[in-house]
């Protein structure tokens, strides 16, 4: 979230799409209800099902799964045609006026530069026109046809209300109402907050779903505003934090990139990622990349990172391609992987095409499970009849199952969707012999380190160089690790602005990331967490809930990254001249010398209003991007592509390019895609309010509330198939089948799409063959093994099934 | 931060007038003295965060056990933290069942191994678990570590063992996981963010 949970109460319009907050984020959703009561806000829901969120909405419209870009592009078209958007904001704070490369083009579903064989783009034309200084050219009159906004207008012109109805099945009149609701918040003093979750991300076009919405937020002038922003309601309690720490194949902590083999030296690497400005007078914050990276290397390798060895650059692995989970299970399936660790993660239940996942794990030599619970992944080798029909004796994988503590039995911080790092405290002892994750990692690591010291082996350098200065090496303490993440001064750091003063003295915790250096005099494990554990102590443990502004900003409660800032891009809450767009939600203001306010200003503190510096300080041109340059895999503008399993079998916009042309699809998985003839129904998976993922089926109270697996189908489909409420049905895809009770409901209605009737089948995910709830099938037996072209997030939300009475 | 419930009530006694208990029509002192204190007298209250969804609701955990050496402390009740700015004391049906998650009969208690082809678990010691896992890792790493790619560029990567990191473990566990995996040269590191 660029904003945070309580801030939702400041919105004038709440659009829930690609999520079902009332059910999946129930307590956070109370702030949407607060907006309704306190702010007279409207709540609208766009979803294939009439959800629990829809039941308290002012307006609900149905949509076919996987077609959100079409509907949102239709909204953009409406805003641009009617002029009901914040024009001053758009001109000043987005790249609307910038000129695009004359060779950039879009034709018949493809952008310029497509390579069909590689299924990827040469993105060199997805760029600005540059002047002699290398800065992007702009035309503030917007007369030039190559202005971003003119190209955008032309791009979305195809998304007429008729096209929206044809592709989405959303009736034209309902679509018109949605447009009107959203356009009302184009006024400078009104905001929309979009609440979305995995219903937008889990598509082969997931990242572009979100991008289309973000473009609407820019046009409406909602980025940086209280009650606005882009608000991902993340799925798990600390998935934000573990992403912040870079636990992804090609990431490093703080959104730095893991070096690849294309950057053989530190110089090549730093010059690639140290951003150069694309406009004059910009903050261009990524110009500080070397400070973040060198400080990370000092945290990793300690004294072993020196200027002479490029701060230990060779100690880091270099990638040739991303090893995301889809890629890695494909390799495992092909027998190219020997060992795998699952830490608090249950891939047999969580990954698509469960049968492929089980077959892949069966080819490992060893599997290590670290978990508080007995997961399906830990017992994938056991035969559970139809639910897991394996031949145990043939599975040669050695499986180690190591019990870990759970939240209640350890100290530490987790990061909620609003980027708050909240420290928590241990309240009970671990059951049996369970250990914390750090203790287990230390146990294995110290064994390995000793083996390498004694016996030698391949490249022991990085193992022996890893900084491990914990008081008890076998038991790294949360406080020690947390202080490492924040970082400390390795030498006295003179304050350049105040001679004789210091930013920090040697050995002190750093006050924030502004103190980081690129000369090895600072260490910090994650630069965006700098400021979380300072000389003043653990900022994440703060529990002052006062809200001086009344806007819900509680700056003394825990600590938010970055720099305890609660609303990102908040400079954009003011006009270029420094006056707020809406006085009632003033976040920061210029006091004649510097920016001050109820939030930490997201801007250069002493940069006066009226300067050319743009509010989006992480961007090289300082502007919000309606045109994404080369940052997305499938195009700088969003385009509708059908799910890989489409009930239409075509794309009404361009029949030759049906699905995402840049998405990766492995050969064996392509063969496992089903067609709409054999599998005629559009299926989508989702969560219930009584359960959390595959965890709460192990908890009695939750198992009592929702004991048994079911699927939801509409009355019309049920009648066609002779299914009545409570029947057991078999739901099958090309990849396998599940059996569950049928809930026949009015909440799912058939849609008329492209001249045909499309039924949806709703599949809650929470059951499996382990737990205290009734045993069930893994819902992901059905889902396809194909992911988004940017993130490789699997397409759990849009695939095809057949339904029969079992 | 472990606030003894008795101290907490003493501190808050004045402020309790506006709370739900008062709203229900009880005299706070009476209600506390006669009912709540009876059970909570011996309880320790600890602040934590719901580990399920990303709302990050604050919770108060009540445990028995006074921290004495041989007394295991155990949580018997969990409720929403009324001071928390987001949830203000509320929990959803997921969070309301948290105490049953902690005490699930399916909590793992001992290291175990399932040998190749076997149909059962065998209990082992931590020492044996660490030793055997490290042996597997070293054998695989020494056999398959890639120091240089085909073009002679130093790559120092290990692709034949991968690591799937958690989604609810703390930042601190995540940071140590990062150090652990990257120092071994692992690139197949991923978390639930994608899934
Ligand atoms: S109590 Fe419910 S809403 Fe709150 S964090 Fe837990 S799961 Fe999310």
């Amino acid at each position: 979230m660029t904003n945070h949970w309580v801030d939702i109460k400041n919105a004038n319009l709440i659009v829930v799409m690609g999520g079902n907050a009332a059910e999946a984020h129930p307590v956070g959703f109370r702030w949407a209800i607060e907006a309704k009561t306190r702010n007279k806000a409207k709540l609208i829901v766009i979803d294939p099902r009439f959800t629990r969120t829809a039941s308290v909405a002012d307006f609900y419209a149905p949509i076919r799964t996987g077609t959100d870009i079409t509907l949102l592009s239709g909204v953009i078209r409406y805003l641009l045609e009617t002029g009901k958007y914040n024009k001053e904001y758009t001109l000043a704070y987005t790249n609307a006026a910038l000129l695009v490369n004359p060779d950039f083009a879009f034709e018949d579903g493809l952008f310029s530069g497509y390579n069909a064989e590689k299924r990827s783009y040469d993105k060199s034309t997805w760029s600005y026109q540059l002047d002699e200084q290398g800065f992007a050219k702009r035309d503030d009159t917007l007369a030039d046809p190559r202005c971003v906004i003119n190209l955008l207008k032309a791009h979305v012109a195809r998304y007429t209300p008729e096209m929206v109805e044809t592709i989405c099945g959303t009736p034209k009149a309902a679509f018109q109402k949605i447009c009107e609701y959203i356009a009302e918040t184009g006024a400078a003093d009104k905001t929309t907050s979009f609440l979305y979750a995995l219903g937008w991300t889990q598509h082969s076009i997931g990242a572009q779903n979100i991008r289309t919405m973000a473009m609407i937020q820019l046009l409406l002038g909602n980025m940086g505003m209280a009650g606005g922003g882009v608000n991902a309601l993340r799925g798990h309690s600390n998935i934000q934090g573990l992403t912040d720490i870079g636990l992804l194949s090609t990431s490093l902590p703080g959104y730095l990139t893991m070096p690849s083999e294309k950057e053989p030296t530190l110089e090549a690497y730093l010059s690639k990622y140290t951003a150069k400005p694309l406009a004059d007078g910009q903050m261009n914050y990524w110009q500080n990349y070397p400070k973040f990276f060198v400080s990370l290397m000092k945290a990793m390798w300690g004294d072993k990172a020196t200027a002479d060895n490029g701060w230990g650059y060779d100690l880091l692995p270099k990638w040739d391609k991303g090893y995301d989970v889809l890629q890695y299970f494909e390799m495992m399936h092909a027998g190219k992987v020997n060992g795998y660790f699952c830490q608090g993660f249950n891939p047999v239940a969580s990954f698509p095409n469960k049968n492929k996942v089980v077959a892949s794990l069966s080819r490992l030599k060893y599997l290590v499970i670290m978990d508080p619970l007995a997961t399906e992944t830990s017992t994938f080798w056991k035969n559970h009849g139809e639910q897991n029909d394996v031949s145990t004796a043939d599975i040669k994988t050695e499986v180690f199952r190591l019990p870990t503590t759970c939240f209640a039995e350890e100290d530490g911080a987790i990061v909620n969707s609003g980027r708050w790092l909240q420290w928590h405290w241990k309240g009970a002892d671990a059951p049996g012999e369970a250990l914390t994750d750090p203790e287990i990692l230390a146990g294995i690591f110290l064994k390995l380190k000793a083996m390498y010291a004694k016996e030698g082996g391949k490249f022991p350098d990085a193992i022996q160089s890893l900084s491990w200065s914990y008081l008890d090496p076998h038991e790294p303490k949360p406080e020690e690790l947390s202080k490492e993440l924040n970082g400390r001064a390795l030498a006295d750091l003179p304050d350049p602005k105040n001679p004789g003063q210091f930013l920090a003295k040697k050995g002190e915790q750093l006050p924030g990331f502004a103190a980081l250096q690129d000369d090895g005099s600072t260490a910090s494990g994650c630069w965006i967490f700098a400021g979380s554990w300072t000389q003043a102590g653990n900022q994440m443990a703060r529990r002052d809930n006062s809200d001086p502004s009344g806007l819900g900003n509680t700056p003394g409660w825990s600590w938010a990254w970055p720099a305890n800032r609660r609303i990102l891009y908040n400079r954009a809450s003011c006009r270029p001249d420094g006056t707020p767009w809406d006085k009632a939600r003033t976040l920061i203001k210029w006091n004649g010398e510097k920016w001050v306010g109820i939030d930490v200003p997201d801007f250069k503190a002493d940069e006066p209003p009226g300067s050319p510096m743009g509010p989006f300080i992480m961007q090289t041109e300082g502007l919000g991007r309606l045109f994404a340059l080369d940052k997305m895999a499938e195009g700088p503008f969003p385009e509708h592509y059908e799910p890989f399993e489409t009930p239409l079998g075509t794309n009404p916009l361009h029949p030759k390019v049906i699905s995402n042309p840049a998405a990766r699809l492995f050969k064996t998985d392509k063969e496992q895609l089903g067609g709409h003839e054999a599998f005629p129904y559009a299926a989508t998976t989702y969560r219930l309010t009584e359960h959390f993922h595959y965890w709460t089926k192990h908890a009695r109270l939750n198992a009592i509330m929702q004991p048994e697996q079911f699927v939801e189908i509409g009355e019309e489909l049920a009648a066609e198939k002779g299914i009545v409420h409570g029947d057991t049905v078999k739901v099958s895809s090309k990849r396998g089948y599940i059996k569950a009770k049928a809930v026949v409901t009015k909440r799912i209605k058939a849609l008329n799409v492209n001249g045909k009737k499309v039924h949806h089948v709703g599949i809650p995910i929470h059951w499996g063959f382990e737990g205290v709830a009734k045993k069930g099938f893994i819902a992901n037996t059905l889902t396809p093994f194909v992911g988004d072209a940017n993130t490789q997030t699997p397409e759990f939300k849009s695939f095809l099934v057949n339904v029969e009475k079992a | 931060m472990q606030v003894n419930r008795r101290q907490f009530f003493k501190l808050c006694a004045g402020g309790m007038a506006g709370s739900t208990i008062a709203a229900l029509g009880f005299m706070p002192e009476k209600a506390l003295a006669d009912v709540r204190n009876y059970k909570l007298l011996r309880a320790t209250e600890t602040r934590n965060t719901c580990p399920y969804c990303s709302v990050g609701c604050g919770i108060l955990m009540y445990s028995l056990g006074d921290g004495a050496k041989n007394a295991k402390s155990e949580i018997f009740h969990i409720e929403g933290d009324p001071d928390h700015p987001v949830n203000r004391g509320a929990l959803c049906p997921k969070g309301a069942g948290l105490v049953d998650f902690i005490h699930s009969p399916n909590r793992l208690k001992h290291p175990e191994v399932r040998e190749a082809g076997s149909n059962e678990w065998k209990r082992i010691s931590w020492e044996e678990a660490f030793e055997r896992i490290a042996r597997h890792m070293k054998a695989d790493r020494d056999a398959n570590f890639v120091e240089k790619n085909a073009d002679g560029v130093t790559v120092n990567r290990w692709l034949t063992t991968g690591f799937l990191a958690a989604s609810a473990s703390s930042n601190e566990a995540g940071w140590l996981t990062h150090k652990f995996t990257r120092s071994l040269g692992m690139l197949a590191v991923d978390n639930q963010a994608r899934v």
Side-chain angles (χ1 to χ4, degrees), chain B residues 79-136:
Chain B
E79 61 190 41
D81 179 351
D83 291 329
H84 196 283
V86 177
N87 65 306
R88 300 193 175 184
L91 292 178
C92 80
K94 291 178 250 286
L98 273 173
V99 81
D100 281 357
F101 173 84
I102 297 173
H103 299 306
S104 169
N106 297 329
R107 284 294 301 268
L108 304 176
K109 298 195 176 63
H110 311 283
E112 293 155 295
V113 67
R114 177 263 178 184
E115 305 287 3
S118 159
N119 196 26
E120 59 195 26
W121 289 110
K122 187 173 83 192
R123 187 171 160 183
I124 55 175
S125 68
W126 279 110
E127 175 61 23
E128 183 182 347
F130 292 157
E131 175 76 25
R132 285 182 64 178
I133 293 166
R135 267 291 152 225
H136 271 301

Side-chain angles (χ1 to χ4, degrees), chain A residues 585-600:
Chain A
R585 40 186 136 202
T586 303
L587 293 172
I588 62 165
K589 53 178 180 257
W590 178 254
N591 73 359
E593 276 172 29
K594 58 178 184 184
W595 292 95
V596 295
I598 63 152
D599 199 2
V600 179

Side-chain angles (χ1 to χ4, degrees), chain A residues 86 89-90 188 191 216-223 225 572 581:
Chain A
N86 188 334
Y89 185 108
T90 301
T191 61
I216 293 176
Q217 287 297 64
L218 285 172
L219 290 169
L220 297 172
N222 284 338
M223 295 306 299
M225 294 285 287
W581 296 105

Side-chain angles (χ1 to χ4, degrees), chain A residues 17-19 196-210 232-234 787-788 791-797, chain B residues 193-195:
Chain A
M17 192 172 172
Y196 73 93
L198 294 315
W200 265 353
T201 59
Q202 292 175 339
H203 292 277
S204 52
I205 47 171
Q208 293 278 19
N209 281 336
I210 294 147
L233 315 185
R234 307 227 41 185
D788 172 86
T791 62
Q792 305 304 343
T793 294
E795 193 152 55
F796 294 118
K797 297 294 187 195
Chain B
R194 279 191 226 273
V195 193

Side-chain angles (χ1 to χ4, degrees), chain A residues 425-662:
Chain A
W425 289 267
K426 173 178 171 169
D429 296 312
E433 295 178 3
L435 295 179
T436 65
D437 288 71
E439 286 167 332
I440 296 173
L441 292 169
I444 298 169
F445 184 78
L446 295 174
K447 274 268 181 246
L448 264 171
K449 192 173 166 175
M451 287 176 186
Y452 273 94
K454 197 161 153 230
E455 305 160 17
K458 280 278 177 69
F459 195 64
D461 312 44
I463 300 170
Q464 303 300 354
S465 300
L466 188 69
S467 149
W468 201 275
S469 52
Y470 307 112
L471 196 59
D472 177 351
H474 290 274
E475 209 181 307
K477 291 277 187 308
E479 306 83 70
E480 293 176 298
L481 293 160
S482 194
K483 284 178 168 177
E484 262 188 309
L485 280 167
N486 179 90
R488 65 195 168 95
L490 303 173
D492 291 350
L493 305 176
D495 182 350
K497 286 195 192 130
N498 299 299
Q501 311 251 35
F502 294 89
L503 298 171
K505 299 281 260 183
K506 184 175 177 179
E508 285 183 355
Q509 289 294 106
L510 296 172
F513 49 73
L516 294 173
Q517 309 294 327
D518 59 7
D519 61 359
S521 59
T522 53
S524 169
C526 184
W527 72 275
I528 57 174
F529 289 175
S532 61
W533 195 310
T534 63
Q535 274 308 100
N538 183 352
Q539 302 302 298
M540 303 166 284
R542 298 178 312 151
R543 289 295 186 275
D544 173 357
N545 64 6
S546 58
D547 172 21
S549 68
L551 287 172
N553 228 33
T554 58
W557 185 274
S558 71
W559 185 86
W561 74 258
N564 201 30
R565 186 173 292 129
R566 305 289 161 142
I567 295 184
L568 298 183
Y569 311 119
N570 56 32
R571 169 64 181 91
S573 68
C574 306
R575 294 188 172 80
D577 70 7
T579 55
W581 296 105
D582 178 12
K583 258 189 116 166
R585 40 186 136 202
T586 303
L587 293 172
I588 62 165
K589 53 178 180 257
W590 178 254
N591 73 359
E593 276 172 29
K594 58 178 184 184
W595 292 95
V596 295
I598 63 152
D599 199 2
V600 179
D602 196 357
F603 205 54
K604 189 158 175 283
D606 58 357
E607 182 80 7
S611 92
M613 187 179 284
F616 294 95
I617 60 170
M618 305 308 285
Q619 307 278 53
T620 48
E621 73 288 65
L623 300 171
R625 288 176 181 159
L626 297 172
F627 181 84
L629 298 173
D630 59 356
K631 302 299 176 212
M632 305 291 284
E634 60 284 90
F637 289 133
E639 176 65 8
H640 169 68
Y641 299 110
E642 285 286 318
F644 272 81
E645 290 188 335
T646 159
L648 307 185
T650 184
N651 185 326
L653 288 162
H654 25 71
K656 278 194 225 136
V657 185
I658 297 176
S659 298
N660 189 341

